Amino acid sequence: MQNSRSKPCSCPSLKLREVASMYFTMVAAFLVILVVALQGSVPRGSDFPYKVPLDPQGLLELSWNVSYPEQAVNFQLLIRDLQFGLLFGMSDRGEFENADLAVLWSDGHNSYFGDAWSDAKGQLHMDSQQDYQLLGARRAPEGLYLLFRRAFSTCDPKDYLIEDGTVHLIYGILEKPVHSLQAINISALHGGLQRVQLLKPNISIPELPRDMKTMEITAPDVVIPSQETTYWCYMAELPEGFPKHHIIMYEPVVTAGNEALVHHMEVFQCAAEFDSFPHYNGPCDSKMKPDRLNYCRHVLAAWAMGAQAFYYPEEAGLAFGGPGSSRYLRLEIHYHNPLVFKGRRDSSGIRLYYTATLRPYDAGIMELGLVYTPVMAIPPGEDNFILTGYCTDKCTQLALPAAGIRIFASQLHTHLAGRKVVTVLARDGREQQVVNADRHYSPHFQEIRMLKEVVAVFPGDELITTCTYNTEDRSRATVGGFGILEEMCVNYVHYYPQTQLELCKSAVDPGYLHRYFNLVNRFNDEEICMCPQVSVPQQFYSIPWNTFNRDVLKSLYSFAPISMHCNKSSAVRFPGEWEKQPLPSITERLRERIPRCPPSPEPRPAAPIPLNLGQLRR
Amino acid sequence: MQNSRSKPCSCPSLKLREVASMYFTMVAAFLVILVVALQGSVPRGSDFPYKVPLDPQGLLELSWNVSYPEQAVNFQLLIRDLQFGLLFGMSDRGEFENADLAVLWSDGHNSYFGDAWSDAKGQLHMDSQQDYQLLGARRAPEGLYLLFRRAFSTCDPKDYLIEDGTVHLIYGILEKPVHSLQAINISALHGGLQRVQLLKPNISIPELPRDMKTMEITAPDVVIPSQETTYWCYMAELPEGFPKHHIIMYEPVVTAGNEALVHHMEVFQCAAEFDSFPHYNGPCDSKMKPDRLNYCRHVLAAWAMGAQAFYYPEEAGLAFGGPGSSRYLRLEIHYHNPLVFKGRRDSSGIRLYYTATLRPYDAGIMELGLVYTPVMAIPPGEDNFILTGYCTDKCTQLALPAAGIRIFASQLHTHLAGRKVVTVLARDGREQQVVNADRHYSPHFQEIRMLKEVVAVFPGDELITTCTYNTEDRSRATVGGFGILEEMCVNYVHYYPQTQLELCKSAVDPGYLHRYFNLVNRFNDEEICMCPQVSVPQQFYSIPWNTFNRDVLKSLYSFAPISMHCNKSSAVRFPGEWEKQPLPSITERLRERIPRCPPSPEPRPAAPIPLNLGQLRR
């Protein structure tokens, strides 16, 4: 391949390519007909509502749809510049080891498609059960479309289980012919990962009012900095005297050509206590950015790659404008530019759809999980440490209306060590349903996600949020807090009707933590200063992290009483006794959903499917 | 059925029965031929070397063989008095819920066979995958023989995984016709359980010497007491001046007709320090039993229901006779008589095969696991509490010969709360192999089991014995000790060549346990006297068993240093420092064996197989 690159212009091969391409198209068309005849109806291109570029250049573009009745995802992969094949697949966190892969490869003469898996060393193996089901291939001017389908759950232990929440997609491009699947050297591939929510909820779109207006909060023709990561900040403002409206929908506006660069965008409303905010248009981490912009933190809208329009439920809208709310908005765009393109101009942003005809309910946002406090800490070197935050029955009893609230969307949030986040609703000590779960959560992919089902929460219910952390690369304890190397465990739930309850979070009782520090001090032979005048983080940093101290910290967190923050705003608690509260006791857990396995799996050949796509060379 | 019982002698039905029986035999014979043609060779009766009665009356008799190449068990079930069918199957601990069952049932006209499972409520369901494979049925004067086969592992989550160690077999007799499998009411069945080791090792029988003699240690025509449980003790003695011999084999001698009553038998040798022992023939728990019999505890031979002859490896024999060993032997027989038969006479016992031509090595018995001490305790209300005993590298380094020892058999031992016992061999911190594992261990079924493979142990190796306990029915802590309500965790391994090492066991360091009691005292708000003058059991009994105190005890046991008993006899330690030893650290665990699933399972019908056995009425 290096050789062929050093002779870039070889005329005979160019001709060959065109001839091959024609042949190719014919064969592919025949193949599609054949496949259609075999497999039933192939979805058309317009049937794939979700789309995401896989690579930063946008050479691979994935579209998909989800069939809940069939419990399967239909994929359409556009390969703009096919070389000798490609790998596409899924793995726990985007790694190429222990991955579940669909592979298209060519030996220079013939092409093959197969379902494969990679072992812990990255070696590829043909899967004994072929679950990436090829539906067709189609040549178009823009490239080759490959259509295939995958059941959520295949009952094959080598396969990835497609669940709600984040899915780490991986891709790799074959730049040389390979004689067999086993001959593919994964470590030498040009490849990468893309995070998406594959299982988009199947929500019917509410009817939109006639008086609906739109407002675009977009970057003013920004030159995207030629660096991998930029958070761009731009201040916008509503007209003076803009009355109260309801935002009922919003959608992304992405400048054509920048689809692979615009990673995520958020619109924040500024704090009402300031009459005015300065104009700003520049990187969010610039020293030139006015400090006051830090008071623009109330989320109005959020979008991340692969997401579509966000619709409020028909009974509710998000209030903006009117007295008591700020006119100032902050747009934040995360540009992800790993190939360091220079001079790209961008005017992306978010288009808000709003109405003056207010809907019955204002929507609200409530914080569940853990208080931002160092008393909740994770020892270093843990691969799977769990912290839990509680919204107790006592708090919901006091703060929720008798008719309850309806949670319709959720945004999970941790800092860099977060790996999983799950919120469960419990009633009378029995877990009722999952509010939102992401078992492949990434702090680099935080979306507001519509829930598949609206969750009703009533006074006396409990909301339990569990975060799982990985601190294998850290040498000292990670404490809770605001810093990027400190941790959070939060679920921002979007609900209606809005209530006064803004925060329903917990942390371990500090007195019990003090007993833990004392216990560690006495039990271990180490002579470590755990003097009470030392700060909680310093006390955590000085613990010798043997298995006993780790285990006992876990035992403490699952036993000690909690301090509840049942708050109207971050500083104002509801009246009541909130210290040394008992941990909610759960007597009945939700069952792990056992994947429905097909009653008699159709045995499919373990051999690759020859494709006869012609030679895949350029 | 009640009605038919109240008219026991109904002549027409008798005739019908005989007619049916003839028809039956013909159909069954035809069926066998048919089944043979379909399924390949049916094993003959003589091909089933293992045999056990299922019920106390011996109406159901199970024989089986094990095909390791095919990873399957072939069963032959003799039904002496077939009514309207029966259930046979396996479950975790012999319960009828969550059981895996083969069911033969009749609706009064037609008979059916099928693979079924029972749910947590005991409701029967047809299994979607039929894994009890019917091989044939044969009528004989003694009853109906049903032949069927079952793979160890079926890859069906509803099926029981047949593993090494104890298997709890269950049976139930259908006394009324049923219209469908689902109509069977398990709770109303006459049924029970029988424990067996299904996967007998496939050991080639060593050549036996010409000068081999036999000696029967049998009960002298005892009248079996008419009570459910009797341990019978009988003293026997060797001739005076009986020189050293090697026991090279032993086998059970069970009085014909008592096969279902003789549960297990052991021959113990008495302690050499007493010149004589009194004669005794009576219940072991009788007040008349001389105390000195408690000094007869050295196991010479042990047999339990379903076991066959026990052969020593050809290089080794168990020494008995000669100077320094007692002439006195104690035979102990456990009679299990749940139907309270009266006046049954029994002369069962064990036949020893011995030779004066000593083999190269004396065999020895070594105790692995936990020291009998209250410092190792199990909180009450635990369903799955694990205690671990260590034989450390330091001890084996000191006590084993450079050429190592060979373990060829093992007897696992706990008291009533024991549920699993596993011993693993580790070398350089890496687990190498399982020495013996019983994941369905029952304290009511303790056999000396030949190992499938002889395990070589070298100086520096570690032997780690893990016991799992259930104390859900107890209200206070269970401490280690000799009492039946105290616990043990022991693996008696049989090995050669004999060494001085008799005991290689551990317990937690008492100083660390003391720190635990202090910690519990300080951490909990409870005011409990944990005064140091109080005994360890009393301190355990006074702990308030909240989750924190439970968890921290587990953490303590998996962290605190140990006290090693590396002993020549129960009181004499090898020289060295054995207190406050570090816990062996295991860096590499053995992988859980993932059952080999067939590459493409033959889909079998989920419908029952009609049998046309004629009417199954009496």
Side-chain angles (χ1 to χ4, degrees):
Chain A
M1 199 60 207
Q2 292 258 317
N3 286 344
S4 76
R5 268 193 183 153
S6 62
K7 303 174 197 165
C9 184
S10 153
C11 291
S13 104
L14 201 71
K15 275 183 192 162
L16 195 69
R17 184 184 166 193
E18 286 174 354
V19 173
S21 171
M22 283 168 57
Y23 168 73
F24 200 64
T25 312
M26 287 161 59
V27 171
F30 169 74
L31 188 80
V32 170
I33 293 163
L34 185 76
V35 170
V36 170
L38 285 170
Q39 306 281 2
S41 65
V42 172
R44 281 166 303 134
S46 61
D47 292 339
F48 298 99
Y50 315 115
K51 188 157 80 174
V52 77
L54 290 184
D55 62 312
Q57 288 180 281
L59 296 176
L60 297 172
E61 192 180 271
L62 183 75
S63 322
W64 74 98
N65 68 45
V66 183
S67 168
Y68 285 99
E70 295 170 304
Q71 295 275 296
V73 181
N74 295 301
F75 293 101
Q76 175 183 266
L77 184 59
L78 167 60
I79 310 160
R80 290 189 201 277
D81 181 19
L82 185 59
Q83 299 183 38
F84 290 91
L86 91 163
L87 281 69
F88 166 81
M90 302 174 251
S91 68
D92 181 29
R93 307 204 62 79
E95 61 286 358
F96 276 77
E97 297 77 31
N98 299 315
D100 179 10
L101 294 157
V103 186
L104 173 69
W105 76 96
S106 164
D107 58 13
H109 305 283
N110 299 307
S111 304
Y112 304 91
F113 179 90
D115 181 354
W117 56 279
S118 63
D119 61 24
K121 292 177 177 165
Q123 173 62 49
L124 283 186
H125 304 272
M126 199 70 191
D127 207 336
S128 62
Q129 193 177 310
Q130 294 285 298
D131 292 296
Y132 282 105
Q133 186 187 347
L134 187 65
L135 300 179
R138 180 165 57 88
R139 233 341 184 196
E142 62 272 25
L144 177 75
Y145 285 97
L146 212 57
L147 286 89
F148 50 96
R149 159 190 293 237
R150 172 65 154 63
F152 300 169
S153 155
T154 65
C155 301
D156 175 348
K158 296 296 181 198
D159 284 353
Y160 181 90
L161 174 67
I162 302 177
E163 292 174 290
D164 292 338
T166 308
V167 175
H168 289 73
L169 302 177
I170 53 177
Y171 66 91
I173 292 168
L174 295 180
E175 294 170 335
K176 291 187 221 174
V178 283
H179 292 291
S180 72
L181 182 88
Q182 288 72 19
I184 296 172
N185 178 0
I186 276 193
S187 61
L189 287 185
H190 167 67
L193 80 90
Q194 177 65 290
R195 298 180 184 93
V196 298
Q197 181 196 20
L198 271 188
L199 300 191
K200 301 283 183 189
N202 213 351
I203 290 166
S204 58
I205 293 172
E207 208 180 325
L208 298 174
R210 293 195 183 185
D211 67 348
M212 187 171 70
K213 292 180 187 165
T214 66
M215 178 189 295
E216 288 189 5
I217 314 291
T218 51
D221 197 21
V222 161
V223 177
I224 299 176
S226 53
Q227 61 193 28
E228 177 160 347
T229 301
T230 302
Y231 281 82
W232 194 269
C233 276
Y234 169 68
M235 292 295 291
E237 62 193 275
L238 302 177
E240 277 206 67
F242 187 76
K244 178 175 174 180
H245 286 79
H246 268 164
I247 299 173
I248 53 173
M249 171 198 164
Y250 60 82
E251 65 184 7
V253 182
V254 178
T255 300
N258 291 347
E259 290 82 357
L261 297 176
V262 178
H263 185 272
H264 75 249
M265 305 186 284
E266 286 187 90
V267 176
F268 299 94
Q269 190 160 36
C270 300
E273 64 241 50
F274 298 99
D275 285 339
S276 76
F277 280 79
H279 283 284
Y280 184 71
N281 182 35
C284 299
D285 60 355
S286 164
K287 287 176 186 167
M288 305 298 291
K289 192 189 77 168
D291 282 346
R292 189 165 283 185
L293 267 56
N294 295 335
Y295 292 88
C296 305
R297 292 185 171 277
H298 177 72
V299 176
L300 275 193
W303 171 90
M305 220 178 233
Q308 285 189 301
F310 184 94
Y311 291 88
Y312 281 85
E314 56 188 348
E315 308 92 305
L318 187 66
F320 85 135
S325 84
S326 174
R327 290 201 301 120
Y328 294 89
L329 307 176
R330 180 168 64 91
L331 171 69
E332 183 177 303
I333 306 180
H334 173 195
Y335 293 114
H336 181 62
N337 184 7
L339 300 179
V340 198
F341 294 122
K342 287 182 184 155
R344 285 278 191 105
R345 306 189 82 89
D346 185 66
S347 301
S348 297
I350 286 180
R351 186 180 296 125
L352 304 172
Y353 291 75
Y354 61 97
T355 173
T357 315
L358 297 184
R359 289 179 166 181
Y361 302 113
D362 283 353
I365 299 177
M366 189 192 302
E367 273 187 46
L368 306 175
L370 284 177
V371 181
Y372 310 136
T373 155
V375 301
M376 301 304 298
I378 306 143
E382 295 279 345
D383 65 343
N384 196 29
F385 198 90
I386 293 171
L387 292 181
T388 303
Y390 300 90
C391 174
T392 59
D393 52 351
K394 188 168 170 183
C395 179
T396 60
Q397 193 72 56
L398 200 68
L400 297 191
I405 58 167
R406 306 281 177 278
I407 301 178
F408 59 89
S410 152
Q411 185 180 18
L412 307 176
H413 179 68
T414 73
H415 288 169
L416 299 176
R419 293 294 179 272
K420 292 179 192 180
V421 184
V422 177
T423 297
V424 170
L425 170 75
R427 190 169 292 152
D428 301 325
R430 285 190 287 274
E431 292 185 352
Q432 303 291 319
Q433 67 180 116
V434 170
V435 176
N436 193 9
D438 193 342
R439 296 180 211 287
H440 305 275
Y441 172 86
S442 166
H444 305 294
F445 190 57
Q446 305 188 11
E447 301 178 287
I448 301 180
R449 290 184 182 148
M450 299 298 295
L451 303 185
K452 274 185 184 169
E453 284 179 75
V454 168
V455 176
V457 184
F458 296 98
D461 286 355
E462 291 163 331
L463 291 158
I464 302 173
T465 301
T466 302
C467 293
T468 306
Y469 300 94
N470 183 307
T471 56
E472 283 179 299
D473 59 346
R474 301 188 182 189
S475 56
R476 67 173 205 185
T478 299
V479 297
F482 288 93
I484 189 66
L485 289 175
E486 297 171 334
E487 269 305 334
M488 293 190 170
C489 176
V490 187
N491 185 352
Y492 298 96
V493 291
H494 296 242
Y495 72 96
Y496 67 88
Q498 191 168 27
T499 70
Q500 285 196 293
L501 184 63
E502 282 201 7
L503 234 84
C504 192
K505 310 203 294 186
S506 72
V508 71
D509 173 74
Y512 271 78
L513 182 66
H514 186 67
R515 290 187 200 185
Y516 168 76
F517 290 136
N518 272 331
L519 176 168
V520 162
N521 220 4
R522 285 171 193 278
F523 191 88
N524 293 270
D525 284 328
E526 322 270 339
E527 286 179 24
I528 301 229
C529 174
M530 300 268 179
C531 331
Q533 66 274 24
V534 170
S535 72
V536 165
Q538 286 305 328
Q539 286 186 296
F540 271 119
Y541 300 156
S542 63
I543 287 177
W545 287 109
N546 58 40
T547 61
F548 185 77
N549 295 340
R550 287 171 195 273
D551 284 355
V552 177
L553 182 64
K554 285 183 211 169
S555 309
L556 177 88
Y557 285 147
S558 59
F559 171 74
I562 51 178
S563 162
M564 268 305 297
H565 286 213
C566 179
N567 291 18
K568 296 182 183 182
S569 70
S570 63
V572 183
R573 288 190 179 188
F574 276 86
E577 178 51 50
W578 301 110
E579 297 305 324
K580 284 209 172 30
Q581 298 297 297
L583 274 189
S585 92
I586 299 299
T587 55
E588 198 180 295
R589 305 259 163 210
L590 283 177
R591 291 219 192 130
E592 277 281 313
R593 238 192 332 165
I594 295 163
R596 266 198 312 183
C597 287
S600 56
E602 303 157 37
R604 294 198 189 95
I609 301 174
L611 274 195
N612 288 330
L613 290 180
Q615 296 193 9
L616 293 186
R617 277 186 297 172
R618 308 198 244 199
Chain B
M1 200 59 211
Q2 292 259 317
N3 286 345
S4 76
R5 266 194 184 153
S6 61
K7 304 175 194 163
C9 186
S10 156
C11 292
S13 105
L14 201 71
K15 275 186 193 158
L16 194 70
R17 184 185 166 191
E18 285 175 355
V19 172
S21 173
M22 283 167 59
Y23 169 72
F24 201 64
T25 312
M26 287 161 59
V27 171
F30 170 73
L31 189 81
V32 170
I33 293 163
L34 186 76
V35 169
V36 170
L38 285 170
Q39 305 283 2
S41 65
V42 172
R44 283 167 301 137
S46 60
D47 292 341
F48 298 99
Y50 315 115
K51 188 157 81 175
V52 76
L54 290 184
D55 61 312
Q57 288 180 280
L59 297 177
L60 296 172
E61 190 179 272
L62 183 75
S63 322
W64 75 96
N65 68 44
V66 183
S67 168
Y68 285 99
E70 295 170 304
Q71 296 274 296
V73 181
N74 295 301
F75 292 100
Q76 175 183 267
L77 184 59
L78 167 60
I79 309 160
R80 291 190 200 275
D81 182 20
L82 185 60
Q83 299 183 38
F84 290 92
L86 92 163
L87 282 68
F88 166 82
M90 303 174 250
S91 68
D92 181 29
R93 307 204 62 79
E95 61 284 359
F96 276 76
E97 296 77 28
N98 298 315
D100 179 11
L101 294 157
V103 186
L104 172 70
W105 76 97
S106 165
D107 57 13
H109 305 285
N110 298 307
S111 305
Y112 303 92
F113 179 90
D115 181 355
W117 56 279
S118 64
D119 60 24
K121 292 176 176 164
Q123 173 62 49
L124 282 187
H125 304 272
M126 199 69 191
D127 206 337
S128 63
Q129 193 178 308
Q130 294 286 298
D131 293 296
Y132 283 105
Q133 188 187 347
L134 187 65
L135 299 179
R138 181 165 57 87
R139 227 352 180 190
E142 61 272 26
L144 176 74
Y145 285 96
L146 213 55
L147 286 89
F148 50 96
R149 158 192 293 240
R150 171 67 153 64
F152 299 169
S153 155
T154 65
C155 300
D156 177 348
K158 297 294 181 202
D159 283 353
Y160 182 89
L161 174 67
I162 303 178
E163 293 174 290
D164 293 338
T166 308
V167 175
H168 288 73
L169 301 177
I170 54 177
Y171 65 91
I173 292 167
L174 295 181
E175 295 171 333
K176 292 188 221 171
V178 283
H179 292 290
S180 71
L181 182 87
Q182 288 73 20
I184 296 173
N185 178 1
I186 275 192
S187 61
L189 286 185
H190 167 66
L193 81 89
Q194 177 64 291
R195 298 181 185 93
V196 297
Q197 182 197 20
L198 270 189
L199 301 192
K200 301 282 184 190
N202 213 349
I203 290 165
S204 57
I205 294 172
E207 209 179 323
L208 297 173
R210 293 193 183 184
D211 67 348
M212 188 170 71
K213 293 180 184 161
T214 66
M215 178 189 294
E216 288 188 7
I217 314 292
T218 51
D221 197 22
V222 161
V223 177
I224 300 174
S226 54
Q227 59 192 29
E228 177 161 346
T229 300
T230 303
Y231 281 81
W232 193 269
C233 276
Y234 170 67
M235 291 296 290
E237 62 193 274
L238 301 178
E240 277 207 67
F242 187 75
K244 177 175 174 180
H245 286 78
H246 269 165
I247 299 173
I248 54 173
M249 170 197 164
Y250 60 82
E251 64 184 8
V253 182
V254 179
T255 301
N258 292 347
E259 291 82 357
L261 299 176
V262 178
H263 185 273
H264 75 248
M265 305 185 282
E266 286 185 89
V267 176
F268 299 93
Q269 190 159 35
C270 299
E273 65 241 50
F274 298 98
D275 285 339
S276 76
F277 281 80
H279 282 285
Y280 184 71
N281 183 33
C284 299
D285 60 354
S286 164
K287 287 177 188 167
M288 306 298 290
K289 191 189 78 167
D291 282 347
R292 188 166 283 187
L293 268 55
N294 294 334
Y295 291 90
C296 304
R297 291 186 171 276
H298 177 73
V299 176
L300 275 192
W303 171 90
M305 220 177 232
Q308 283 190 302
F310 183 94
Y311 291 88
Y312 281 85
E314 57 187 346
E315 309 92 305
L318 186 67
F320 86 135
S325 85
S326 173
R327 290 201 302 121
Y328 294 91
L329 306 177
R330 178 167 67 90
L331 171 70
E332 182 176 304
I333 306 180
H334 173 196
Y335 293 112
H336 180 63
N337 185 7
L339 300 180
V340 198
F341 294 122
K342 286 181 186 155
R344 284 279 191 104
R345 305 190 83 87
D346 185 65
S347 303
S348 298
I350 286 180
R351 186 180 296 124
L352 304 173
Y353 291 75
Y354 61 98
T355 171
T357 315
L358 297 183
R359 287 180 168 183
Y361 302 113
D362 282 356
I365 299 176
M366 189 191 302
E367 274 189 45
L368 305 175
L370 284 177
V371 180
Y372 310 136
T373 156
V375 300
M376 300 304 299
I378 305 145
E382 296 279 345
D383 64 342
N384 195 29
F385 197 90
I386 292 172
L387 293 180
T388 303
Y390 300 90
C391 175
T392 59
D393 52 352
K394 189 169 170 182
C395 179
T396 60
Q397 193 72 56
L398 199 69
L400 298 191
I405 58 168
R406 307 280 176 278
I407 302 177
F408 59 88
S410 153
Q411 186 180 17
L412 306 176
H413 180 69
T414 72
H415 288 169
L416 299 176
R419 294 294 179 272
K420 292 179 191 178
V421 184
V422 177
T423 297
V424 169
L425 171 74
R427 190 169 291 153
D428 301 325
R430 286 190 287 273
E431 292 185 351
Q432 303 290 319
Q433 68 181 114
V434 170
V435 176
N436 194 8
D438 194 342
R439 297 180 209 288
H440 305 273
Y441 172 86
S442 166
H444 305 294
F445 189 56
Q446 305 188 11
E447 302 178 287
I448 301 181
R449 289 183 183 149
M450 299 298 294
L451 302 186
K452 274 186 183 167
E453 283 178 75
V454 169
V455 177
V457 184
F458 296 98
D461 286 354
E462 291 163 331
L463 291 158
I464 302 173
T465 301
T466 302
C467 293
T468 305
Y469 300 94
N470 184 308
T471 57
E472 284 179 298
D473 58 347
R474 302 188 180 189
S475 57
R476 69 174 202 184
T478 300
V479 297
F482 288 93
I484 191 66
L485 288 175
E486 299 171 332
E487 268 305 334
M488 293 191 172
C489 175
V490 187
N491 185 351
Y492 298 95
V493 291
H494 297 240
Y495 72 96
Y496 67 89
Q498 193 170 26
T499 70
Q500 285 196 294
L501 185 63
E502 281 201 7
L503 234 85
C504 191
K505 311 204 292 185
S506 73
V508 70
D509 173 74
Y512 271 78
L513 182 66
H514 186 67
R515 290 187 199 185
Y516 168 76
F517 290 136
N518 272 330
L519 177 167
V520 163
N521 220 4
R522 284 170 192 279
F523 192 89
N524 294 271
D525 284 329
E526 321 271 339
E527 285 178 28
I528 301 233
C529 174
M530 300 270 179
C531 330
Q533 67 274 23
V534 170
S535 72
V536 165
Q538 286 306 327
Q539 286 186 298
F540 272 119
Y541 299 155
S542 63
I543 287 178
W545 288 110
N546 58 39
T547 62
F548 186 76
N549 295 340
R550 288 170 194 273
D551 284 355
V552 177
L553 183 63
K554 285 183 211 169
S555 308
L556 178 88
Y557 285 147
S558 60
F559 170 75
I562 51 178
S563 162
M564 268 305 299
H565 286 213
C566 179
N567 290 19
K568 295 183 185 182
S569 71
S570 65
V572 183
R573 288 191 179 189
F574 275 86
E577 178 51 51
W578 301 110
E579 296 305 324
K580 287 208 169 33
Q581 298 295 297
L583 274 189
S585 92
I586 298 299
T587 54
E588 201 180 294
R589 304 257 164 212
L590 282 177
R591 290 219 193 130
E592 277 282 311
R593 239 192 331 167
I594 296 163
R596 266 198 312 180
C597 289
S600 58
E602 302 158 38
R604 296 199 187 92
I609 301 174
L611 275 195
N612 289 329
L613 290 181
Q615 295 192 12
L616 293 188
R617 277 185 298 174
R618 309 195 241 196

